[in-house]
Amino acid sequence: MKRSFLMGVAALALVVGSADAAELKFKPGEDSKFNWASFEEFKKGHDLKGQTLTIFGPWRGEDEALFKSVYAYFVEATGVDLKYSSSENYEQQIVIDTQAGSPPDIAILPQPGLIADLASKGHLTPLGDETKQWLLDNYAAGQSWVDLSTYNGKDGKSALYAFPYKIDVKSLVWYVPENFEDAGYEVPKTMEELKALTEKIAADGEKPWCIGLGSGGATGWPATDWVEDLMLRTQPADVYDKWVKNEIPFTDPAITGALDEFGWFARNDKFVDGGAAAVASTDFRDSPKGLFSSPPKCYLHHQASFIPSFFPEGTVIGEDADFFYMPPYESKKELGNPVLGAGTLALITKDTPAARAFIEFLKTPIAHEVWMAQTSFLTPYKSVNVETYGNPPLKKQGEILLNATTFRFDGSDLMPGKIGAGAFWTGMVDFVGGKSSADVAGGVQKAWDAIK
């Protein structure tokens, strides 16, 4: 504990940036793609000269530089002295700082579980009904974002404590357009079509899917994303919410049904490169390589937006490889277009005028568009100009978010660590190895019952 604390302090000391002399990445008023009017409007009502704003977040390296390019506009608009810091052990650091009574003004965190803990201990400031209504009105699938941002305070009453900013999408299926074109395959628009395509590829003597769950001590996690995506496509969002909170048991037919849906793809030797036996042993980083071999070893790969990092060097997304939205079931139209993902949430950990002004800044299109125009940023904000996205794949993912009717955070990340990063992972390895969904679910539920 002492060692990690010292490492955190050392890292914190190293990764501190001030925005006194920040340069603006895009000159206000020059490129008409940006909503400069929102910047000028914000400027009028916020004078913070002589005040300091401290922000603590998870971004380091390139992401920190990108965030700095955004908050430079806040500094320009308000005159505030903004200091951003991070730490390699930021989860522990924010707990230490809040408990010690020396929190930053704003904390930005990607873990809803940690946010719930901070809210329950009275370390967060409610953002108010106005911000709640703003999210409902301005974010696609607004109720989903309000739900994700609402936690119980120290008094046990629920309130909106978080503002979602910078989102990641997981509901993606990757493919190589040239392979599809050569074989005469078309991108499926429904789950029924995806299943039919899977059967067609197998009937053609090819393997439809590359699936790999290997990840060292975290082996099994890619399968949890599959199950979560399938849960959202077979069950209403409130059932998903009850599942991740253990308000319905893992053994409920809704959950075992989603496991079996995953099994339809992953446990059929004809459907997976290397056969079902290879699923657990194939490293997730190596798994998509079959898309690019000649002839292809597979045609489809389910994975989040980060996976191109493990594609062959020089692969151009949108040309050499592409993706489509993991489609919903035609037979379950009432469930709309659900999207599974993750993201970061901004919180007021010290209530100051500058902190409140920063949350207001995040409501301006320019606070999104500046990062959109560069890389690794997605937003469900309906008023942004999607043409500002830095490249076509980002724009396409952004449109998936904007078309979503439901958004849910990665389920395993919402569960207790011993389940979401333990029994669920190992249970999925057992499942692809042949264990029944009922037995796997029973084992996970037993582990969950043990920590009550």
Side-chain angles (χ1 to χ4, degrees):
M1 177 64 196
K2 185 182 176 189
R3 180 174 174 272
S4 66
F5 171 72
L6 291 173
M7 281 176 64
V9 172
L12 188 64
L14 288 171
V15 189
V16 177
S18 180
D20 288 333
E23 288 185 19
L24 300 182
K25 180 80 177 173
F26 308 101
K27 192 173 179 182
E30 283 199 350
D31 190 331
S32 62
K33 288 200 304 282
F34 293 95
N35 189 330
W36 295 118
S38 71
F39 176 64
E40 295 301 329
E41 188 63 30
F42 179 79
K43 235 174 154 177
K44 290 176 190 172
H46 299 90
D47 182 359
L48 300 172
K49 289 185 185 71
Q51 297 184 43
T52 299
L53 177 69
T54 54
I55 301 179
F56 181 79
W59 301 312
R60 305 167 79 227
E62 185 187 3
D63 276 347
E64 182 189 354
L66 289 162
F67 180 51
K68 186 174 183 178
S69 75
V70 173
Y71 72 62
Y73 290 84
F74 180 72
V75 172
E76 176 73 15
T78 64
V80 77
D81 177 19
L82 194 154
K83 299 183 187 303
Y84 172 80
S85 61
S86 185
S87 163
E88 190 175 352
N89 304 295
Y90 64 88
E91 302 100 324
Q92 295 98 315
Q93 194 64 51
I94 192 64
V95 171
I96 292 165
D97 290 347
T98 51
Q99 287 179 346
S102 56
D105 301 319
I106 294 279
I108 301 174
L109 298 170
Q111 292 101 337
L114 176 56
I115 295 169
D117 189 53
L118 292 171
S120 70
K121 290 175 179 171
H123 294 316
L124 304 181
T125 299
L127 301 185
D129 289 340
E130 190 183 327
T131 297
K132 177 180 177 180
Q133 192 59 49
W134 189 94
L135 289 171
L136 287 170
D137 293 342
N138 291 280
Y139 270 19
Q143 186 62 53
S144 293
W145 299 105
V146 167
D147 293 345
L148 179 62
S149 304
T150 301
Y151 301 88
N152 290 333
K154 195 173 183 179
D155 58 3
K157 293 178 183 174
S158 69
L160 190 95
Y161 283 102
F163 190 96
Y165 179 76
K166 189 179 186 299
I167 309 305
D168 299 310
V169 170
K170 293 194 169 199
S171 300
L172 304 176
V173 179
W174 297 84
Y175 71 106
V176 172
E178 187 180 351
N179 294 346
F180 266 47
E181 195 176 326
D182 290 348
Y185 302 143
E186 293 185 2
V187 170
K189 297 289 192 290
T190 67
M191 186 60 71
E192 288 87 349
E193 288 180 6
L194 181 61
K195 285 187 160 188
L197 175 62
T198 298
E199 291 172 328
K200 173 78 167 72
I201 295 171
D204 290 344
E206 305 288 346
K207 294 296 173 72
W209 291 91
C210 277
I211 305 174
L213 310 188
S215 186
T219 291
W221 72 259
T224 68
D225 285 358
W226 267 92
V227 171
E228 290 151 11
D229 249 339
L230 291 165
M231 271 289 288
L232 290 172
R233 283 154 181 72
T234 55
Q235 301 296 327
D238 66 319
V239 175
Y240 182 93
D241 296 338
K242 289 173 183 173
W243 169 51
V244 300
K245 295 173 187 171
N246 200 28
E247 290 174 5
I248 57 172
F250 231 91
T251 50
D252 189 278
I255 293 107
T256 55
L259 288 171
D260 287 331
E261 280 294 274
F262 170 59
W264 187 89
F265 294 95
R267 300 204 330 177
N268 187 328
D269 287 337
K270 293 178 181 177
F271 290 173
V272 187
D273 178 37
V279 170
S281 59
T282 301
D283 191 284
F284 81 93
R285 288 156 283 216
D286 296 329
S287 182
K289 290 177 181 173
L291 293 171
F292 302 97
S293 60
S294 186
K297 290 185 177 179
C298 64
Y299 286 78
L300 300 158
H301 182 69
H302 174 274
Q303 191 50 275
S305 53
F306 71 83
I307 198 62
S309 303
F310 302 104
F311 288 173
E313 194 174 341
T315 300
V316 177
I317 305 305
E319 297 176 20
D320 307 320
D322 207 346
F323 59 87
F324 56 86
Y325 165 64
M326 177 81 157
Y329 289 80
E330 174 74 20
S331 60
K332 298 265 188 180
K333 278 187 174 176
E334 72 278 7
L335 299 181
N337 298 320
V339 171
L340 179 73
T344 45
L345 298 103
L347 323 155
I348 295 180
T349 39
K350 185 178 178 184
D351 194 3
T352 65
R356 288 185 177 267
F358 186 76
I359 296 297
E360 291 305 306
F361 174 67
L362 296 183
K363 296 176 185 176
T364 66
I366 206 68
H368 300 246
E369 290 172 348
V370 168
W371 202 334
M372 286 165 61
Q374 299 177 76
T375 186
S376 68
F377 184 92
L378 301 173
T379 180
Y381 192 178
K382 291 185 286 189
S383 294
V384 299
N385 180 6
V386 294
E387 299 305 323
T388 57
Y389 273 115
N391 57 62
L394 271 181
K395 179 185 172 186
K396 190 171 165 184
Q397 289 177 38
E399 288 171 336
I400 288 172
L401 263 185
L402 289 173
N403 289 328
T405 54
T406 300
F407 180 92
R408 282 299 182 267
F409 211 89
D410 181 285
S412 56
D413 287 344
L414 298 174
M415 297 172 185
K418 287 183 180 176
I419 307 304
F424 193 6
W425 289 352
T426 54
M428 294 315 299
V429 173
D430 292 341
F431 180 66
V432 296
K435 208 170 182 180
S436 73
S437 59
D439 285 348
V440 166
V444 178
Q445 188 58 46
K446 188 177 178 184
W448 209 325
D449 290 340
I451 61 171
K452 278 182 178 176

